[in-house]
Amino acid sequence: MTETYALISGILGGNPIEIPDCAHPEFGPHITQEWDDGLGKHSFVFHIHVEPDNDRCKTFDRQRNEIKTHSSSPDYVKGFLNETVIFRWRFKLDAGFQPSSNFTHIHQLKDAGGNISSPIITLTPRVGSPDRLEIGHKDSEGVSSVIATVPLEPFKGPWIEAYEKMTYGHHGSYSIELRNLKTGALLLAHEDSDIDLWRVGAEFIRPKWGIYRSLNSQEYLRDEQVRFDQFCLAKGDDDCP
């Protein structure tokens, strides 16, 4: 089996991994491949620890363990203005997964080079009554909104399959479906035919997957393992079947 970091870098190019290994070297790699009985195969496991993990030994009020496309990635896995891009992937939150009232992103769409540093789209578990899963959006004026929200409980434990389709632009389009992989049950569906999915000065839009969370309410948090599998990135006339 190919070493995990080398496997990811071989597909996404360059150094697409943002990990807390420097703060927690005794743990070893924070992205591993482990057998999953439900899938009958190995999957990626993203590990995060309330202590001592941080954001790459650069920022200490948050933690990051993510993969992404970036400037050195092939153009095919980056999204440019007016392009239509499709992502399909699987993820699994532990049955005891604990979010906080602050951000805990497990997926982001983020620009490179634009006028606002915050992500454009986020998939975010958040504590509440009940706990919920949110799709967040921030437009090119910096206005934030939650464009979809559902109870988190059905997402804790089973494998979830995500299918996401975007056309990038200030009047772009966005849709996402999240389904229970085993039963096929549709847990979240959202579609918007006119949404701001670009940034002034942006070079391209990149996806990010993993776990990126604030430590400002760490009393809610625990050590987590978030599993991912079967990433597909396509654009133009291609699809992710």
Side-chain angles (χ1 to χ4, degrees):
M1 184 167 58
T2 304
E3 190 273 330
T4 303
Y5 293 173
L7 176 62
I8 295 168
S9 297
I11 299 298
L12 298 181
N15 183 18
I17 301 168
E18 297 177 323
I19 47 179
D21 292 10
C22 62
H24 197 183
E26 62 273 19
F27 178 77
H30 279 67
I31 306 175
T32 59
Q33 298 173 76
E34 298 181 14
W35 182 262
D36 186 273
D37 288 336
L39 295 179
K41 61 190 287 289
H42 286 81
S43 67
F44 294 109
V45 184
F46 288 62
H47 306 264
I48 204 76
H49 310 92
V50 178
E51 294 180 348
D53 295 351
N54 55 43
D55 184 1
R56 299 164 293 166
C57 296
K58 298 178 180 180
T59 309
F60 302 94
D61 64 347
R62 62 197 63 194
Q63 302 174 314
R64 187 191 304 270
N65 187 11
E66 293 183 302
I67 62 173
K68 65 178 183 179
T69 63
H70 62 118
S71 58
S72 298
S73 298
D75 283 352
Y76 187 78
V77 296
K78 295 184 282 192
F80 298 97
L81 184 62
N82 297 321
E83 283 191 330
T84 297
V85 175
I86 293 170
F87 303 139
R88 187 188 292 275
W89 75 97
R90 298 170 178 176
F91 68 92
K92 182 181 180 181
L93 304 179
D94 187 77
F97 184 90
Q98 294 179 197
S100 79
S101 54
N102 298 103
F103 67 84
T104 301
H105 303 323
I106 57 174
H107 171 56
Q108 304 181 58
L109 299 180
K110 193 169 184 180
D111 71 286
N115 62 318
I116 297 174
S117 61
S118 301
I120 299 172
I121 293 287
T122 55
L123 186 60
T124 307
R126 198 179 300 275
V127 76
S129 298
D131 293 350
R132 58 196 184 273
L133 183 67
E134 299 177 347
I135 300 176
H137 172 247
K138 180 171 281 191
D139 67 18
S140 56
E141 300 296 325
V143 177
S144 298
S145 60
V146 175
I147 59 176
T149 182
V150 291
L152 181 62
E153 189 62 29
F155 295 89
K156 294 167 64 174
W159 276 98
I160 305 298
E161 184 165 66
Y163 183 84
E164 187 178 38
K165 184 175 183 179
M166 299 72 62
T167 299
Y168 292 124
H170 289 295
H171 293 277
S173 63
Y174 178 80
S175 65
I176 187 170
E177 290 187 353
L178 301 179
R179 294 181 180 272
N180 182 300
L181 179 64
K182 183 177 181 179
T183 68
L186 181 62
L187 304 179
L188 183 152
H190 178 79
E191 185 171 0
D192 196 324
S193 60
D194 187 2
I195 185 171
D196 189 353
L197 291 183
W198 199 249
R199 292 279 192 263
V200 176
E203 301 170 28
F204 60 89
I205 307 296
R206 61 185 185 226
K208 305 185 81 173
W209 289 279
I211 182 165
Y212 174 46
R213 66 184 184 180
S214 169
L215 289 173
N216 288 339
S217 300
Q218 63 180 276
E219 66 273 13
Y220 288 98
L221 303 175
R222 63 170 205 165
D223 296 350
E224 296 287 358
Q225 294 181 350
V226 180
R227 291 178 177 258
F228 289 88
D229 183 56
Q230 214 155 306
F231 296 101
C232 174
L233 295 78
K235 66 164 59 177
D237 294 330
D238 295 339
D239 199 355
C240 289

